[in-house]
Amino acid sequence: MSDDFVIAGKRFHSRLVIGTGKYASFAENKACIEASGAEMVTVAVRRVNLDRKEESLLDYIPKDVALLPNTAGCYTADDAIRTARLGREAGLSHWVKLEVIGDQKTLMPDNEATIAAAKVLLGEGFVVLPYISDDLIVAKKLADLGCAAVMPLAAPIGSGLGVQNPHQIRLILEAVSVPVIVDAGVGTASDAALAMELGVTALLMNTAIAEAKAPVLMAKAMKMGVEAGRAAHLAGRMPKRAYASASSPVIDFATAATAAKKASA
């Protein structure tokens, strides 16, 4: 059974998107991309060598993997817009993961500035995937504007705390018809599985893999965690109960013994 999903007309099978920062080397990053099975990776426009005159991260991204340029490091709408334009002009993509950070300490997004930047970029033909806090109203506004997906955080960037407010993620899932990609905060494979069990479309992660003691092995674990969580969501979990429920049916043993004697007679 196919379980693909579509963003802006592009079909994906893998529900794991990974980043390209914090790795020990470009080669390690490539190995993690391959181990994760990711079909899309995000690259920071402001941190990548675009002239390609020297060795570049772009040389290590497999050719069949889609690029999702991001505006990481931008603190104003105008700065994010300029960065997105630069990425497109450099030939990276007309897709953009829109990030406008509102606080340097927590790296929480500035939702108001994100909406303002999204309006401009959508008007210029970009496919916009905005990174936001787990705010239902902001998610609805961005989806209504025409964003191809919304990307609420699970927890602050790089924290590894896992999904801190699953109820808010569920509300967003109920309210928007575009893909919901949980971005930031996942720390390990169990976090990935729990996030996917909520019914989100996909996960985006970077630090959880790049800062693991064995990044390639963690990339494999994340792939399996995402797949397990997705399968569990589709399967539907059993109901939670306050009391025990025996796996085997309770029967009247005396009645059963009598029935057995009659059958052998």
Side-chain angles (χ1 to χ4, degrees):
M1 181 182 68
S2 174
D3 188 35
D4 297 351
F5 68 99
V6 176
I7 299 178
K10 187 171 180 62
R11 186 172 299 276
F12 298 93
H13 178 66
S14 171
R15 292 177 180 268
L16 177 57
V17 182
I18 70 172
T20 51
K22 302 184 178 181
Y23 288 93
S25 67
F26 293 152
E28 181 181 74
N29 197 167
K30 180 180 180 181
C32 287
I33 294 170
E34 293 171 342
S36 72
E39 296 171 328
M40 178 163 57
V41 299
T42 182
V43 295
V45 175
R46 302 179 72 174
R47 297 171 189 155
V48 71
N49 179 12
L50 296 176
D51 61 22
R52 308 294 288 271
K53 293 180 180 179
E54 299 177 357
E55 184 179 55
S56 169
L57 165 66
L58 301 176
D59 299 322
Y60 287 81
I61 296 176
K63 300 302 182 185
D64 58 345
V65 173
L67 287 180
L68 177 61
N70 70 56
T71 61
C74 295
Y75 284 81
T76 68
D78 287 343
D79 200 10
I81 292 165
R82 283 193 297 270
T83 301
R85 289 169 177 164
L86 176 62
R88 182 166 66 177
E89 290 168 8
L92 294 181
S93 178
H94 68 290
W95 287 41
V96 62
K97 177 193 169 190
L98 177 60
E99 295 183 35
V100 186
I101 300 301
D103 179 72
Q104 192 168 15
K105 181 178 180 180
T106 64
L107 300 181
M108 294 293 284
D110 183 333
N111 290 327
E112 183 179 0
T114 299
I115 292 172
K119 289 179 180 178
V120 174
L121 293 173
L122 288 166
E124 295 181 2
F126 281 88
V127 173
V128 180
L129 288 74
Y131 164 67
I132 58 173
S133 60
D134 54 355
D135 187 308
L136 167 65
I137 306 305
V138 172
K140 288 176 65 176
K141 287 182 177 180
L142 287 163
D144 290 344
L145 281 175
C147 289
V150 292
M151 305 179 74
L153 54 78
I157 293 173
S159 67
L161 292 171
V163 182
Q164 291 297 289
N165 198 336
H167 179 63
Q168 285 294 103
I169 301 298
R170 291 191 185 98
L171 289 178
I172 292 172
L173 285 166
E174 291 176 3
V176 302
S177 58
V178 299
V180 176
I181 303 174
V182 163
D183 177 12
V186 168
T188 191
S190 57
D191 295 335
L194 288 171
M196 292 303 299
E197 286 176 14
L198 296 174
V200 301
T201 307
L203 297 183
L204 192 154
M205 64 184 71
N206 187 158
T207 307
I209 296 175
E211 291 191 356
K213 293 180 179 179
V216 176
L217 184 58
M218 182 59 81
K220 293 178 182 177
M222 289 299 191
K223 176 183 179 181
M224 292 186 286
V226 168
E227 290 174 350
R230 177 63 181 173
H233 169 70
L234 294 175
R237 66 157 292 142
M238 62 167 281
K240 294 182 179 181
R241 302 184 179 98
Y243 300 98
S245 176
S247 298
S248 300
V250 177
I251 61 173
D252 184 332
F253 286 99
T255 302
T258 301
K261 287 180 180 180
K262 289 181 178 179
S264 61

